[in-house]
Amino acid sequence: MSGIRIQLDDSSKLVLQYIAQVREGRVKKNKKWPSGKCVVTKPSDYPNMNLQQLSDTLVRAAYNVSMIDEYFLDHLKGLVINGSFKWHHVLRSVINTSLTDMYMKCQLCGLVREMIHRVQIDSFSDRQGADDIIKTLGPTFDFVSQTILVVLQDEHEFERMMLDNDDFIKPYWPPLQALSSIIHDEFCRTLLIIHCPEEVKKRLHIVYDAFCEPESPDETAVGLMEMLIELYDKSCQPKEFEYIPEGLTLFDFKNPSIKILVSIFACFKMQASCEYISETIQTFAEIMRISPADVVYDLIHAAYLLKCEESIDLDRLHLPKEHRVDFRWQTTTFFYHKLGPILLYLVNKEKVSKNDLIVGLERAYKDFTMMFDVADKLWQNASFVMLIRELSHVLGQQQTEKFLFMRREHMEKVPELKPLVELNDVVLKNTDVQHFYAAIAECRQPDEDVFLQKLVEKVDKGECEMFDALTSVLTADGNLMRVGKKFAKDNINAQMNVKMAVDKRMKIFDDTFLLMSRILIRNPSVSIRLFLNGGPQKSEAEKAIFFNWAMWYIKRVAKHPKPEPKNEEDLEIMRQEVATLVRVANADVGIEEEFEQCLGEEDEKEKGKQKKLIQEEQKMDMAPSDSEFQAAEMPTASIFSGDPLEGVNMEMDEFSSSQNILNNEERMSSENATVSENPAEMKKEAPTEMETIPKSRSKNEIEITWQAFNCPLPRISRKTGRKYLNMLKQSQPFWNVNDVELNFGALVAAVPVIGQLLLEEHEEKRYRADFQNILHAIGRMSCLLVCLVEWMDCEPDSPARTSLAFSIQSALEKSSTSIEDPNHSKWKFVLSTIQHMLIELTDKSPVFPEVTCTAFSTARRFCPFVYRNEKPDQVKLKHAWYYMRQQTWASPHALRLLEHANIAGKI
């Protein structure tokens, strides 16, 4: 009779080959193979092998009939450690291994104990991972507990096992230790509680009873089982959530989270969708344990607080509006565009019930009637009535009519509000609400080109209010970056495209330059780079003069990391690199002057000044040491002096190669997909005459700044600048209007030199020309005036700068109101764009003593403010805290102060 032939599958053959390789490795190791090296067998060498089958084979090989094979056991553990096996492979092998020898079965539980420490879940986001674990963990628990029960059935039997195997440790201890590991492991214990809490508890008590049954029980084992049962019972008890306040909440902020969120999403994160805002509000409500009715109440309260604060001017006790950043359109957009949809989303997603909505509205109407009246008077709109109409299909007809009747009945009793009731909810013309709804209608224009053309027309017509309303709606809908990228593309095409007619190019360049400047100036939270590129990716927009100019001269608050010191040799190398970049920039915009010409004249002039100063000092018969002291060259502002842009917060990731080039500038680093840069900061004051300067520097010496390397601006000489300025004073443009190859970047590059010359004339009080002539000369390139004011804004404070600002403001106000000026509408747009900068340059904000400010803050009448690039000190931070604490909400102006402090590293 022929023998039975067993057919093995491919995986089984590979497993046998693997086991043979392991045995061969053991033989070579025991015989100390001459080569000194043994071949290490890995499962990865057998890609088609079944790992579970290999694990079963290795477990059986390690725990054979009579003894433990330490070599195979170590090899198995090594595979788990290096990741060739998973812990569940080994546990399944332990469960599936059939051993007739009970002693070896007990020893096998020692492997369970080691594998329990390696139990982990592959993914916390997918519950399938936990389900797979419990499928292995449950049978493992049963295997271990059943092994203990079998051993404890016959006390004489396990004593015989101890004698036969010469082992003084009782056989049930390895499975008992494995059971202890399972219960003590918090993750495994939690999974068992979720999966089968009663079955596990019952099995533990059975094992405990089995240990207590003998006449002389093992006290150590009994004590261990009592501890395991107690631990398991405690874990099965439901845990009551206990809120432990931390940080600011220790000061009993009266749960201001919702109000703070309204200020953040209304004024700083306008692009967030209503769904995202609603989910965030709900999360905060759950954390702070705010009831749904209170959520509705706080939302309405915060929205009206925003409306009132942005409309009321408290003069002496509160910062006048002209000194504050204007959040008026942001608050309008939130109230009329997002508040209603947020409440509807909360109701539709069952986060807030209909009854909670009604209760919140009733409480808000009862508590805030006077606030509603103030808001409606200022905005000339029945705001609460419009909100109720927006929520009508959720409230139902009966509740809607109830709220409308109560509000209208009250409004009829107030003389200022009675006309609004008679209008029957019709929006008054020439109000912010009317402009907002008109902006909504224009943004819904299906033809994008038509919409963009209308947006440009707002610049020519001087429709500043409509332009700001459109910008606010675009930001709230998440379309501002797309629009910015389109206008940036048009701007760079107009700057460089010589195939286009000069007049058309000039108009497109001027309009888009003004348009983008206004958006970035009036929205300091908008990232310059993201706005022009349309997102985080780079684009051709970074080659435009507007991009480089904006990065230099549109002021943003800057960070303050400690700069790395540089030696003079490194600085000289960097200056040469910057000079090369400027030469390239000059060539790109068609400036034919050599870079040395832009510096040489200034050097000669400085030498002449120094010589003249020495001669004057000698006439005064000063001591030699004093003469040397006074003869030191005093640096003055150069055309690119100072820190018009200390650094950009998010740009350093993309320009990592330039991270270590900063000397006197502060290096910046990126933060989320936050969205903001840190441009221009006020320049450091020049040293006084009494300061000793060991090494004199030319006033036109190249500055080593982040912008000089990453956003190089072209520059012209002072000689050319004087020529241009003389032409402007004669009401003549300083460029050839018929030059078809003219690059408008060269015109923008002339602004710093012209501005420096104007400052010097005002400083020496020899300015006699009418600034109206300059406005007339640049009428077709009005963006140059915006550039001039932005450049002045980055210069050090001085009487000459203030005087020049007054001259510009006076001339601009006259041109913007003169019907005879053909560009009066555009000048009106320009004046509105730079008005805030001119006010900061000419009209200093009121300064109160610290004690007075503290009193105002405590009386809930003072909210501190910051300039566009100011880094607030501790006093302002304290006053902002008082204001927020007393008002139990966060004003956007207080949040802006905290944002500046956070960026600058003050907190």
Side-chain angles (χ1 to χ4, degrees):
M1 182 177 179
S2 60
I4 300 175
R5 178 174 298 179
I6 301 176
Q7 295 292 336
L8 298 178
D9 55 16
D10 295 338
S11 178
S12 300
K13 294 178 180 178
L14 293 175
V15 169
L16 294 177
Q17 293 178 14
Y18 184 91
I19 295 298
Q21 287 287 340
V22 175
R23 295 184 187 278
E24 182 181 356
R26 177 169 60 180
V27 172
K28 292 180 179 179
K29 180 180 180 180
N30 293 337
K31 291 185 177 182
K32 297 182 180 180
W33 204 251
S35 63
K37 296 181 181 180
C38 296
V39 179
V40 179
T41 308
K42 299 179 182 178
S44 57
D45 298 334
Y46 302 84
N48 297 324
M49 183 171 53
N50 188 310
L51 294 180
Q52 186 61 60
Q53 188 176 5
L54 176 61
S55 176
D56 295 343
T57 306
L58 288 174
V59 169
R60 286 195 297 269
Y63 294 88
N64 55 33
V65 178
S66 58
M67 59 176 293
I68 300 176
D69 193 322
E70 296 293 343
Y71 185 87
F72 274 97
L73 182 59
D74 293 338
H75 183 78
L76 178 63
K77 294 178 181 178
L79 293 180
V80 177
I81 293 173
N82 63 31
S84 299
F85 275 175
K86 297 293 184 182
W87 57 270
H88 56 78
H89 289 130
V90 179
L91 288 182
R92 288 170 186 167
S93 299
V94 170
I95 299 169
N96 298 329
T97 300
S98 298
L99 294 175
T100 57
D101 189 347
M102 184 54 63
Y103 178 82
M104 294 302 299
K105 195 171 186 178
C106 292
Q107 300 303 313
L108 186 59
C109 292
L111 189 58
V112 173
R113 181 185 180 186
E114 296 191 26
M115 292 300 108
I116 288 298
H117 298 305
R118 300 186 176 276
V119 173
Q120 59 183 352
I121 191 169
D122 294 330
S123 174
F124 287 98
S125 59
D126 185 7
R127 63 165 294 176
Q128 184 65 33
D131 292 342
D132 293 339
I133 292 177
I134 199 63
K135 291 178 182 177
T136 304
L137 197 59
T140 304
F141 176 84
D142 295 336
F143 173 84
V144 172
S145 58
Q146 185 62 32
T147 303
I148 297 175
L149 294 175
V150 171
V151 173
L152 291 176
Q153 284 179 357
D154 190 349
E155 184 177 356
H156 299 289
E157 180 63 23
F158 73 70
E159 290 179 353
R160 184 192 61 78
M161 283 189 271
M162 294 171 61
L163 293 173
D164 291 346
N165 294 278
D166 195 17
D167 191 355
F168 64 90
I169 298 176
K170 296 180 180 179
Y172 54 72
W173 269 108
L176 181 57
Q177 290 174 339
L179 182 66
S180 177
S181 298
I182 295 175
I183 301 301
H184 273 95
D185 189 281
E186 186 176 1
F187 181 54
C188 296
R189 183 174 70 251
T190 303
L191 287 178
L192 291 174
I193 293 173
I194 295 174
H195 180 65
C196 48
E198 294 301 325
E199 291 81 356
V200 174
K201 184 177 181 180
K202 182 179 179 180
R203 181 58 68 93
L204 288 175
H205 280 281
I206 293 174
V207 175
Y208 172 76
D209 293 337
F211 275 110
C212 296
E213 187 175 349
E215 294 180 359
S216 56
D218 188 340
E219 296 297 336
T220 305
V222 172
L224 178 58
M225 285 304 304
E226 290 177 348
M227 183 181 64
L228 295 180
I229 293 174
E230 181 182 357
L231 176 61
Y232 188 83
D233 288 340
K234 184 178 179 181
S235 301
C236 290
Q237 298 299 322
K239 293 183 179 180
E240 182 179 355
F241 175 75
E242 181 180 358
Y243 172 68
I244 301 176
E246 296 180 0
L248 298 181
T249 54
L250 288 172
F251 295 94
D252 184 20
F253 235 33
K254 297 180 182 178
N255 292 333
S257 302
I258 304 301
K259 298 178 186 178
I260 292 177
L261 288 177
V262 170
S263 299
I264 292 173
F265 286 117
C267 302
F268 296 92
K269 291 187 175 295
M270 292 183 63
Q271 72 278 5
S273 65
C274 295
E275 293 78 8
Y276 178 80
I277 298 174
S278 302
E279 293 292 343
T280 306
I281 288 174
Q282 178 60 24
T283 301
F284 268 76
E286 293 175 356
I287 294 174
M288 302 294 294
R289 294 190 295 177
I290 304 175
S291 67
D294 286 339
V295 170
V296 177
Y297 179 87
D298 284 348
L299 278 173
I300 296 174
H301 188 193
Y304 272 99
L305 281 172
L306 287 175
K307 282 169 63 70
C308 292
E309 185 174 72
E310 289 307 308
S311 303
I312 297 176
D313 191 349
L314 298 178
D315 290 331
R316 300 186 189 91
L317 298 184
H318 202 297
L319 187 69
K321 287 188 293 184
E322 60 266 20
H323 289 282
R324 293 185 287 167
V325 173
D326 187 7
F327 290 113
R328 183 164 51 97
W329 286 111
Q330 286 90 331
T331 58
T332 304
T333 303
F334 182 84
F335 188 92
Y336 291 99
H337 192 50
K338 289 192 172 182
L339 180 59
I342 289 172
L343 292 172
L344 291 175
Y345 182 88
L346 291 173
V347 174
N348 294 333
K349 295 296 182 180
E350 299 181 354
K351 308 291 185 181
V352 174
S353 67
K354 176 182 176 181
N355 184 61
D356 292 328
L357 178 63
I358 295 172
V359 172
L361 289 170
E362 288 177 344
R363 287 181 52 204
Y365 179 78
K366 178 182 177 181
D367 295 346
F368 307 136
T369 299
M370 293 182 63
M371 187 182 294
F372 294 171
D373 294 347
V374 172
D376 289 351
K377 290 175 187 177
L378 295 170
W379 294 53
Q380 288 296 291
N381 177 255
S383 55
F384 188 74
V385 172
M386 298 191 70
L387 178 62
I388 294 299
R389 288 194 176 280
E390 195 170 1
L391 302 174
S392 58
H393 68 280
V394 173
L395 293 172
Q397 183 177 0
Q398 181 180 356
Q399 289 293 334
T400 300
E401 292 178 354
K402 171 187 171 183
F403 281 115
L404 293 178
F405 175 78
M406 289 191 303
R407 181 57 183 163
R408 285 174 174 169
E409 184 182 29
H410 172 79
M411 293 174 67
E412 288 179 351
K413 299 176 183 179
V414 182
E416 295 90 340
L417 300 180
K418 188 174 182 180
L420 298 178
V421 180
E422 297 172 352
L423 289 172
N424 195 22
D425 303 338
V426 176
V427 178
L428 290 175
K429 293 184 179 180
N430 297 323
T431 61
D432 287 349
V433 180
Q434 188 268 333
H435 288 316
F436 171 76
Y437 281 114
I440 288 286
E442 290 193 17
C443 287
R444 301 296 181 264
Q445 168 65 247
D447 192 336
E448 183 178 11
D449 293 334
V450 173
F451 167 73
L452 296 178
Q453 184 59 37
K454 288 184 177 180
L455 193 59
V456 173
E457 290 176 359
K458 302 291 186 290
V459 179
D460 292 329
K461 296 178 180 179
E463 298 179 0
C464 306
E465 299 295 324
M466 274 300 298
F467 182 89
D468 292 340
L470 284 168
T471 302
S472 181
V473 174
L474 288 172
T475 306
D477 291 342
N479 296 324
L480 185 65
M481 301 301 173
R482 178 172 55 83
V483 172
K485 182 179 181 180
K486 178 65 170 59
F487 282 121
K489 182 179 180 181
D490 293 342
N491 181 267
I492 192 172
N493 287 339
Q495 176 187 336
M496 301 179 177
N497 189 0
V498 297
K499 296 181 181 179
M500 195 185 304
V502 178
D503 292 343
K504 184 177 180 181
R505 285 176 55 209
M506 187 175 297
K507 185 177 186 329
I508 294 176
F509 182 86
D510 187 45
D511 289 345
T512 53
F513 201 104
L514 284 175
L515 181 148
M516 294 187 293
S517 296
R518 183 180 182 89
I519 292 175
L520 292 175
I521 290 172
R522 296 182 70 87
N523 297 273
S525 295
V526 174
S527 164
I528 297 175
R529 186 179 298 277
L530 292 178
F531 174 69
L532 298 179
N533 289 331
Q537 71 283 353
K538 298 182 67 174
S539 69
E540 292 293 321
E542 297 189 11
K543 298 180 180 179
I545 190 68
F546 179 83
F547 174 81
N548 292 342
W549 181 269
M551 299 299 285
W552 274 88
Y553 293 113
I554 293 184
K555 290 195 333 188
R556 300 283 171 85
V557 64
K559 284 190 174 180
H560 269 260
K562 185 178 180 180
E564 292 184 1
K566 301 288 182 181
N567 56 45
E568 190 59 33
E569 294 181 0
D570 294 338
L571 290 177
E572 186 60 32
I573 295 175
M574 294 175 187
R575 293 188 188 104
Q576 294 176 4
E577 293 178 1
V578 172
T580 302
L581 293 173
V582 174
R583 292 191 190 95
V584 174
N586 282 358
D588 289 341
V589 299
I591 297 178
E592 298 180 355
E593 292 177 300
E594 290 293 334
F595 180 72
E596 289 73 10
Q597 290 180 292
C598 301
L599 299 178
E601 181 183 356
E602 281 68 9
D603 293 337
E604 293 297 328
K605 186 174 180 179
E606 290 299 315
K607 291 178 182 178
K609 284 186 177 181
Q610 183 179 0
K611 184 177 180 181
K612 185 177 179 180
L613 183 61
I614 294 174
Q615 291 175 352
E616 291 178 354
E617 291 166 350
Q618 289 174 349
K619 291 179 181 179
M620 296 173 64
D621 295 327
M622 296 180 61
S625 58
D626 293 336
S627 176
E628 293 175 3
F629 169 77
Q630 292 290 338
E633 182 182 357
M634 308 305 296
T636 58
S638 69
I639 62 174
F640 283 97
S641 63
D643 310 335
L645 214 77
E646 283 195 343
V648 178
N649 189 21
M650 61 176 298
E651 272 67 19
M652 297 309 293
D653 284 338
E654 299 177 76
F655 295 102
S656 58
S657 61
S658 304
Q659 285 180 349
N660 297 320
I661 65 171
L662 301 180
N663 176 29
N664 297 325
E665 290 295 320
E666 297 156 342
R667 295 181 301 140
M668 310 313 323
S669 59
S670 64
E671 224 197 83
N672 66 12
T674 177
V675 217
S676 88
E677 281 89 355
N678 302 317
E681 159 116 315
M682 295 293 294
K683 298 199 306 184
K684 299 175 183 177
E685 296 289 344
T688 61
E689 293 183 354
M690 298 303 296
E691 290 177 331
T692 304
I693 304 177
K695 265 191 157 182
S696 62
R697 290 176 53 189
S698 169
K699 77 172 193 174
N700 219 24
E701 185 174 303
I702 302 172
E703 294 288 338
I704 307 301
T705 64
W706 184 92
Q707 295 77 17
F709 280 87
N710 298 288
C711 314
L713 275 175
R715 60 198 298 178
I716 63 173
S717 65
R718 289 173 61 91
K719 179 179 179 181
T720 304
R722 291 192 195 95
K723 176 183 175 182
Y724 288 169
L725 182 58
N726 290 332
M727 296 175 67
L728 293 176
K729 291 179 179 179
Q730 299 173 13
S731 299
Q732 298 178 4
F734 61 83
W735 63 90
N736 185 355
V737 295
N738 298 318
D739 185 2
V740 295
E741 296 183 357
L742 177 64
N743 190 309
F744 298 121
L747 309 186
V748 177
V751 171
V753 180
I754 294 175
Q756 187 64 47
L757 294 172
L758 286 171
L759 274 183
E760 292 174 1
E761 290 183 355
H762 280 76
E763 183 179 6
E764 299 170 5
K765 298 182 180 180
R766 57 183 175 85
Y767 184 77
R768 296 290 184 268
D770 186 0
F771 208 91
Q772 207 74 34
N773 294 343
I774 297 179
L775 295 187
H776 179 74
I778 63 175
R780 298 176 63 187
M781 283 288 287
S782 55
C783 64
L784 296 180
L785 183 64
V786 176
C787 293
L788 177 61
V789 175
E790 289 175 342
W791 175 84
M792 290 171 53
D793 196 29
C794 297
E795 287 293 293
D797 188 16
S798 65
R801 190 183 74 155
T802 303
S803 175
L804 178 57
F806 271 118
S807 300
I808 295 175
Q809 186 175 20
S810 176
L812 197 52
E813 289 175 351
K814 183 178 180 180
S815 296
S816 62
T817 55
S818 175
I819 303 178
E820 299 177 357
D821 192 328
N823 294 322
H824 73 278
S825 296
K826 182 172 281 190
W827 287 128
K828 178 182 177 182
F829 188 89
V830 171
L831 177 60
S832 175
T833 300
I834 61 177
Q835 185 71 53
H836 196 180
M837 284 185 282
L838 290 175
I839 290 173
E840 289 186 4
L841 293 172
T842 58
D843 184 16
K844 302 305 178 183
S845 63
V847 178
F848 300 106
E850 181 179 348
V851 176
T852 306
C853 292
T854 304
F856 289 165
S857 303
T858 307
R860 309 184 181 190
R861 290 177 176 270
F862 182 85
C863 180
F865 80 104
V866 283
Y867 291 115
R868 285 165 297 118
N869 69 322
E870 182 181 350
K871 302 172 183 63
D873 55 16
Q874 294 297 324
V875 174
K876 283 193 173 182
L877 291 172
K878 181 178 68 173
H879 294 159
W881 162 253
Y882 283 146
Y883 185 78
M884 296 168 66
R885 178 71 179 87
Q886 293 292 335
Q887 301 287 54
T888 66
W889 86 298
S891 162
H893 299 284
L895 289 177
R896 186 168 182 264
L897 185 145
L898 295 177
E899 181 187 41
H900 280 215
N902 186 41
I903 293 174
K906 298 288 185 180
I907 55 177

